[in-house]
Structure formats: structure tokens, C-alpha cells
Amino acid sequence: MAKAVLAALILAALYYLFLKPRPKPRPRAPRMPQDEARAILGITADADEETIRNAHRRLVSAVHPDKGGSEELTRRINAARDTLLRRNP
């Protein structure tokens, strides 16, 4: 009985270590210069975090794919926000 339990544990461990499908890594957003990010969001160089977030929300709500917009534009707007807020997804 103990050998069967041990064998089952070993097989389960091998499955989780080597055979279990792993999730695919998400593609990273392309990095862009801060000047380009500001131009996309339509903000000035002295914009604070709240201004960046408001500009992002305004633009994404207009071009979101669920509302018939473009996925590429949404990606670029998100990348601009991430660049200006110094976040790396």
C-alpha cells in the first residue's frame, strides 16, 4: 500500500514539474520615448499623474475595441501611459 502511495506521489510530482502545460508569457508592450508618449496622450511635459490618467481614460474610452475601435491604438495608448508612469507590464 505504501509503495502505491509513494509511486502516485512521484508521478504527480513529475507531472507538475515536467508535463503540466505552462501559460504562454504575455508580450511586453513596446517602449517608446516620453515625447512620443506625451504626444499620443495630448499632454504637456509638466503633466502630473492625475492628468496622465485622465487623458488615458478619455482616449481609451473613445478607441476601445469593445466600442468598435482599434486594438493597436489601445495598445499604443496603454504603452504611452505605462511609459509616462514608469510602469513595465
Side-chain angles (χ1 to χ4, degrees):
M1 177 77 176
K3 289 183 181 179
V5 171
L6 183 60
L9 287 173
I10 291 173
L11 287 175
L14 289 174
Y15 172 77
Y16 281 106
L17 288 174
F18 300 108
L19 300 176
K20 183 179 178 185
R22 305 212 188 269
K24 294 181 181 178
R26 284 181 27 192
R28 297 189 80 182
R31 294 185 184 226
M32 65 176 61
Q34 287 196 355
D35 293 338
E36 182 180 350
R38 286 188 197 99
I40 289 172
L41 294 179
I43 58 176
T44 60
D46 61 344
D48 61 348
E49 184 175 329
E50 184 179 347
T51 306
I52 294 169
R53 290 186 191 279
N54 288 337
H56 171 263
R57 283 189 198 106
R58 177 180 43 83
L59 288 171
V60 165
S61 67
V63 299
H64 197 274
D66 290 345
K67 294 185 177 182
S70 167
E71 287 184 27
E72 179 61 27
L73 282 175
T74 303
R75 261 189 238 118
R76 290 188 52 80
I77 292 168
N78 287 336
R81 178 205 55 202
D82 293 342
T83 298
L84 293 175
L85 295 178
R86 292 182 175 80
R87 293 194 312 185
N88 294 320

